[in-house]
Amino acid sequence: LDPYFSATKVAWILDNVPGARARAERGELAFGTIDSFLLWRLTNGQVHATDATNAARTMLYNIHDNAWDEDLLALFRVPRQLLPEVHDCNAEFGATPAALFGKPLPILGMAGDQQAATVGQACFSPGMMKSTYGTGCIALFNTGETAVASKNRLLTTIAYRLGGRTTYALEGSIFVAGAAVQWLRDGIGLLDSAAESESLAQEADEKQQLYVVPAFTGLGAPFWDARARGAIFGITRATGPAEIVRATLEAVCYQTRDLLEAMQADGAENLQTLRVDGGMVANDWLAQRLADILGVDVERPVVAETTALGAAYLAGLEIGFFGKQQNPLEGLSDAWQREARFTPEMDAESRAAGHAGWRD
């Protein structure tokens, strides 16, 4: 069972590994995403299953019908019996053998990385948005039960599926976020530690119009330019390490605004609050700059590891930990706690001028 799933990889293996296709058609092989691999191992090979959010990333799943797509299976010549059963994000996926942890433990929650973070941030209402800032950045905007077909180069995806009801989202990816701070530290030696970026950004000369484009591996949404490369614009004799650090952090904010504007162009409702998580947002200066450049409040949760928290929320939801109220998601929303809120302080003219310079 392969933990790194893709439709093209499956097709290649079936066509090139001797006997693989015949074995797959006999039901002797299994393929799935990393979650299904872990579930298979945790249940001692008894359960081959996944959830809707992970299934949606295989290029073989119809997110509208919530089923493996027969046309795509035929296109890639992938036998249906090769693939896992697809469940809600909160479901009885199986249990571990008693010998593994001393007694059987139920496995009750499963979701993809960013979808779990969306649950962990309690973004359950249409119009809510979360953004995770790690090596890169992924933003999801809840569009409710409507799968918005993006005309602005965003991904239409499943945010979560609970009780047989699917909630969709628009998703945008930034290739480089925290990796840019790592480059400042390890690549050009402007920082001794990532945490030092906050104090240096505060020291920078605000009058300098410096822009860093951290396209080290191209540009993600909404540009999707794999050939783009990084650049620094606006250097003067007065430019120093502090200004370069500040502009690098601002680049993350500008890229987030690019995603938000693409989502709004796709008809997403006006955003009031952005919920953020990931290692980068421990930086208060960055969180405040996000609020300034986006023109919306930015909320940082008490629990920063929202992906793990979201998986735990799903299991708690299935086992009834959050109560049996008519809408169990209210219990999850009540459990979410805000650690800090950052309100925009920049005037609209400065905000617009700064972003115009970035887009140029």
Side-chain angles (χ1 to χ4, degrees), residues 11-328:
W12 188 94
I13 290 174
L14 293 179
D15 289 337
N16 291 276
V17 175
R21 183 167 296 281
R23 292 191 65 194
E25 291 174 352
R26 293 196 301 267
E28 296 175 2
L29 299 182
F31 268 82
T33 44
I34 185 67
D35 56 287
S36 62
F37 173 76
L38 293 173
L39 180 64
W40 176 269
R41 297 300 299 269
L42 285 170
T43 60
N44 199 27
Q46 296 303 303
V47 181
H48 184 38
T50 188
D51 80 291
T53 66
N54 282 295
R57 299 312 177 101
T58 63
M59 301 198 308
L60 295 172
Y61 192 73
N62 189 316
I63 66 172
H64 307 284
D65 297 339
N66 269 293
W68 295 114
D69 192 283
E70 295 298 332
D71 291 337
L72 291 172
L73 293 178
L75 176 66
F76 288 102
R77 299 176 62 230
V78 175
R80 169 63 186 84
Q81 56 267 37
L82 196 67
L83 303 174
E85 294 299 316
V86 182
H87 301 307
D88 290 348
C89 298
N90 64 315
E92 294 184 6
F93 287 94
T96 63
L100 199 56
F101 297 112
K103 64 178 181 179
L105 294 179
I107 300 168
L108 303 173
M110 185 182 291
D113 184 15
Q114 300 305 318
Q115 289 83 357
T118 301
V119 173
Q121 287 280 37
C123 290
F124 298 129
S125 299
M128 296 187 74
M129 179 178 174
K130 76 89 201 171
S131 193
T132 300
Y133 297 90
T135 302
C137 165
I138 308 289
L140 264 73
F141 192 107
N142 186 323
T143 61
E145 296 185 5
T146 302
V148 175
S150 177
K151 296 180 181 178
N152 293 276
R153 312 182 84 182
L154 300 173
L155 179 67
T156 305
T157 190
I158 295 176
Y160 49 83
R161 195 176 87 190
L162 304 171
R165 298 179 63 179
T166 302
T167 296
Y168 295 95
L170 285 170
E171 178 180 315
S173 303
I174 297 171
F175 291 161
V176 174
V181 179
Q182 293 173 343
W183 170 72
L184 291 174
R185 183 192 64 197
D186 304 331
I188 58 175
L190 294 188
L191 301 173
D192 292 325
S193 67
E196 189 181 346
S197 64
E198 181 173 355
S199 59
L200 272 175
Q202 291 170 342
E203 297 170 7
D205 180 5
E206 288 278 351
K207 296 187 180 73
Q208 291 199 43
Q209 294 181 321
L210 190 71
Y211 292 93
V212 172
V213 182
F216 304 146
T217 55
L219 288 171
F223 306 105
W224 296 117
D225 186 350
R227 293 174 295 180
R229 288 298 176 262
I232 303 177
F233 294 96
I235 297 175
T236 69
R237 285 284 300 270
T239 300
E243 286 71 33
I244 294 175
V245 169
R246 186 198 68 184
T248 302
L249 295 179
E250 283 183 328
V252 176
C253 305
Y254 286 130
Q255 290 179 100
T256 304
R257 176 162 171 168
D258 290 337
L259 294 181
L260 176 59
E261 289 190 347
M263 291 172 178
Q264 291 172 335
D266 278 331
E269 298 175 11
N270 289 331
L271 181 70
Q272 300 299 317
T273 302
L274 173 68
R275 290 184 173 179
V276 298
D277 54 84
M280 283 196 81
V281 297
N283 183 325
D284 284 353
W285 188 92
L286 173 65
Q288 180 60 52
R289 207 61 161 189
L290 264 175
D292 289 338
I293 290 175
L294 297 180
V296 300
D297 287 352
V298 169
E299 292 184 332
R300 186 171 63 198
V302 170
V303 179
E305 297 294 340
T306 53
T307 296
L309 180 64
Y313 275 173
L314 290 168
L317 192 65
E318 178 65 16
I319 208 169
F321 180 82
F322 296 100
K324 299 291 185 180
Q325 60 264 52
Q326 187 174 2
N327 181 6

Side-chain angles (χ1 to χ4, degrees), residues 211 254 257 261 292-293 346-359:
Y211 292 93
Y254 286 130
R257 176 162 171 168
E261 289 190 347
D292 289 338
I293 290 175
M346 183 183 293
D347 62 84
E349 184 178 354
S350 298
R351 180 182 302 121
H355 190 240
W358 161 260
R359 290 303 293 259

